[in-house]
Amino acid sequence: MHTAFATHIVDNQPPPFGTHNLWDDDAALREAVCREGGEAFSIRLAEYGALAGGRLLYLADDAHRDRPRLLAYDAYGRRQDRVEFHPAYHKVMGAAIQHGVAGLSWTQPGPGAHVARAALSFLHYQAEPGSSCPLTMTHAAVPVLQQVPALREWADKAAAPYYDARCVSITHKQGITLGMGMTEKQGGSDVRSNSTRATPLVADGEYTLIGHKWFFSAPMSDGFLVLAQAPAGVTCFLLPRWRPDGHANALRILRLKDKQGDWSNASSEVEFENAWAFRIGDEGRGVATILQMVMFTRLDCMLGSAGLMRMAVRRVLHHIGHRSAFGKRLIEQPLMRNVVADLVLESEAATALALRVAGAVDRAAHDPHAAALARVATAIGKFWVCKRASTVAAEAQECCGGIGYIEESQMPRLFRQSPLNAIWEGCSNIQCLDVLRALSREPETLHALRSELEQAKGVDAYFDAAFATGMAMLAEPVDPADARRLVERLALLLQGATLLRANNPLATHWCVSRLAAAHSASFGTLASKASMDAALARGGA
């Protein structure tokens, strides 16, 4: 008979993260949706919050662990240019599209629809961020396709709540997804230097494309919006996987990108060998056509980064609420309380600003002031919120100690994912220069921004002082080399104004920690216990 020894007792470790309703647990999100006009969709959002914080969170593990694979040829040497995914990925996509992450704005148009869809996107990113790429592009492409009568079927099926992963013509599908191909090796963000050539065919609007794309997003999609050089200049096209005659299009997937993160999503390099495409908009107006999508895709970058911050904070609060060190739970240790409270403040402000911009987008079609605010605030928020996501993810990972560096904790996934939105849809420099361009060339944007900030004056002394400094910066010509300094200041002011106007319980704590002249760039430097207690309670500790 063997004597049993207790050699592996697990104590002082948190239990599994478990399931959460990501809507019910997030006061900041619920309040922002209500404030921006999306309250009518609350039941729908609660349902998706439960799904995202439960089943989708577990499906995401398999979708990331088993990455997409390129099947360029079949066993007999025939080209098939197919991307194979783990079944969990398709289940995630199906759930997202069914619940409106890609199409709610267009299938239920009306007040608050864009706000509700923004909240769905925010919730989805916390569960499985990789699939947010095709969901975002599908959503953003719909209003562009709607402008072309010949492409109405594409627009309707992109907005439809049906997911069909089969590689077949859209005539056999109820719902479709869309990708994009803008970037080429020689140009990057400078799409006017694209070398892909478009040659007109006899039929109006039809072309053949010869060229390449260095980053071709979501190559398993049914169609792609691409830029190419037509006789009159850079032009936008819809390039489908299948030609109208039923044959596979001449789209050759050369390889899938081996990326730092975003593992569940496929990104690729491709070549077009006289691929058939249909023109969207006029020749030479391709950049202007694509810019119609930019407000939506950049908003989703901001929403995704804000959602990532929120998930990082959730996981940290779970960890420190159960783990002890030096005789106390981590959540009772003063310095840890300071650090995590600071992370909560950052997450709160990111959520508030992202939903504020979503509200402006929602009203932009019928409110010129909202349209002007959305124009400039999208670029400001995209720069700042996406830039801060990496800092928050790194600090949150450190708060969890060694387990935060282990894949099973999912903190490494958040850390790897965190830089993506700052790069995608125009990196930080592009955003900052776009802000300068808007403020200098479109006077209505400066008026809208100033009005938005002025409405928050008179409540907090730190905000008022920072506002005066920001307006002084805007009163003088801004050197492009100083663009980041200006846009950072404007982003902080927008966050502060949003919190103050909402009477957010953390607003004054946020202002003193971010807008005071001597504020610190490090997390964990809050000056008062009241700030720490208020933030932790708000975060769900």
Side-chain angles (χ1 to χ4, degrees), residues 344-382:
V344 171
L345 284 177
E346 194 72 30
S347 172
E348 184 96 12
T351 299
L353 178 57
L355 270 295
R356 177 71 188 102
V357 176
V361 170
D362 192 79
R363 295 181 284 277
H366 54 81
D367 182 345
H369 175 83
L373 179 63
R375 162 72 180 93
V376 68
T378 300
I380 293 171
K382 200 274 189 188

Side-chain angles (χ1 to χ4, degrees), residues 107 127 173 197 313 377 398 401 446 536:
T107 58
K173 293 187 172 189
R197 292 286 165 185
V313 168
E398 184 179 339
L446 178 58
L536 288 169

Side-chain angles (χ1 to χ4, degrees), residues 319-363:
H319 180 83
I320 68 173
H322 294 90
R323 177 81 164 168
S324 296
F326 310 109
K328 293 181 179 179
R329 287 189 305 154
L330 288 176
I331 197 171
E332 298 168 340
Q333 296 286 2
L335 189 52
M336 180 63 81
R337 288 180 67 81
N338 198 332
V339 171
V340 179
D342 220 350
L343 291 175
V344 171
L345 284 177
E346 194 72 30
S347 172
E348 184 96 12
T351 299
L353 178 57
L355 270 295
R356 177 71 188 102
V357 176
V361 170
D362 192 79
R363 295 181 284 277

